[in-house]
Amino acid sequence: ITVDELLPLLLEDKDFFENSGGGITLSGGECLMQADFCADLLKSLKQNGIHTAVDTCGFVSNEALNKVIPYTDVFLYDLKAYDEDVHIKCTGRSNRIILENLLYLDSLGKNIEIRIPYVPDYNDGQIEKIANFLKPLKNISKIHILPYHNMAGSKYEALDMKNTLPSRIPTEEELKKARDVIK
């Protein structure tokens, strides 16, 4: 689909966005893997007075970020771990570029909401380190602790795939402790 095809469909809800204070969030696996399309769409949305958000894990090139920065009101930014070895264990990838991109967005004064997926026995020991990393940043408007859920188990089973995800979900006490550390 092209931006010219998509934009009229999105603008059908413009009255709703204006009355609710909402807008449009680009997300996906990683929407910035299609940074040119995202930039074109975001630019068109801004020209039509729509609030925009980009949901990213930050594992993208600086070039991709620069394409969307001028047209993005808020970045919804995932942080899974601070320590590189823990991040690799959780995702299979280094987090260096993720942390660098977050610092870059903050240095530009961009509005950022941090989202930390909380996975017991994977990244639960990272919360204090993440909090310390975020503390000096000036443009973090919100931090959300997102409790892990194991709903994907049935999908793995249906696809006859091995489920390597943890089976244990966080307790309310663990989540409260994580939120308290962030505060």
Side-chain angles (χ1 to χ4, degrees), residues 107-174:
S107 75
L108 296 176
K110 297 308 295 184
N111 183 12
I112 306 162
E113 291 185 20
I114 300 296
R115 295 160 355 139
I116 305 167
Y118 183 92
V119 186
D121 306 322
Y122 275 67
N123 72 341
D124 49 345
Q126 294 291 294
I127 302 302
E128 187 170 350
K129 292 177 181 185
I130 291 171
N132 287 332
F133 175 75
L134 296 175
K135 193 173 187 175
L137 283 93
K138 306 283 187 233
N139 298 290
I140 307 296
S141 58
K142 293 180 186 174
I143 300 175
H144 301 277
I145 302 288
L146 306 174
Y148 168 75
H149 60 76
N150 54 9
M151 295 179 193
S154 61
K155 292 179 184 179
Y156 279 93
E157 190 176 313
L159 294 169
D160 198 29
M161 293 175 63
K162 182 180 179 186
N163 183 354
T164 60
L165 299 172
S167 58
R168 187 170 85 78
I169 61 173
T171 65
E172 282 304 316
E173 182 178 315
E174 289 172 315

Side-chain angles (χ1 to χ4, degrees), residues 10-173:
L10 297 175
L11 292 178
E12 288 177 8
D13 292 327
K14 185 174 181 180
D15 289 342
F16 174 74
F17 301 141
E18 290 173 348
N19 291 320
S20 68
I24 293 178
T25 300
L26 303 187
S27 63
E30 175 53 64
C31 65
L32 295 181
M33 296 304 290
Q34 299 179 45
D36 290 328
F37 178 83
C38 289
D40 291 344
L41 179 58
L42 291 164
K43 181 178 181 180
S44 294
L45 291 168
K46 293 308 301 169
Q47 288 170 342
N48 283 277
I50 305 293
H51 183 275
T52 59
V54 169
D55 179 356
T56 183
C57 72
F59 191 75
V60 296
S61 69
N62 196 260
E63 178 185 2
L65 272 180
N66 282 329
K67 288 178 182 181
V68 301
I69 284 171
Y71 316 112
T72 304
D73 294 312
V74 62
F75 285 88
L76 309 175
Y77 206 96
D78 295 346
L79 276 184
K80 297 170 183 74
Y82 177 76
D83 291 332
E84 185 178 26
D85 61 324
V86 174
H87 196 274
I88 291 170
K89 175 187 170 194
C90 292
T91 68
R93 300 279 185 255
S94 168
N95 63 345
R96 286 187 185 153
I97 191 170
I98 295 166
L99 298 175
E100 288 170 9
N101 281 336
L102 179 56
L103 293 173
Y104 177 65
L105 289 173
D106 186 68
S107 75
L108 296 176
K110 297 308 295 184
N111 183 12
I112 306 162
E113 291 185 20
I114 300 296
R115 295 160 355 139
I116 305 167
Y118 183 92
V119 186
D121 306 322
Y122 275 67
N123 72 341
D124 49 345
Q126 294 291 294
I127 302 302
E128 187 170 350
K129 292 177 181 185
I130 291 171
N132 287 332
F133 175 75
L134 296 175
K135 193 173 187 175
L137 283 93
K138 306 283 187 233
N139 298 290
I140 307 296
S141 58
K142 293 180 186 174
I143 300 175
H144 301 277
I145 302 288
L146 306 174
Y148 168 75
H149 60 76
N150 54 9
M151 295 179 193
S154 61
K155 292 179 184 179
Y156 279 93
E157 190 176 313
L159 294 169
D160 198 29
M161 293 175 63
K162 182 180 179 186
N163 183 354
T164 60
L165 299 172
S167 58
R168 187 170 85 78
I169 61 173
T171 65
E172 282 304 316
E173 182 178 315

Side-chain angles (χ1 to χ4, degrees), residues 168-183:
R168 187 170 85 78
I169 61 173
T171 65
E172 282 304 316
E173 182 178 315
E174 289 172 315
L175 293 170
K176 181 186 180 318
K177 181 179 177 185
R179 288 184 193 107
D180 289 345
V181 168
I182 291 296
K183 287 179 185 173

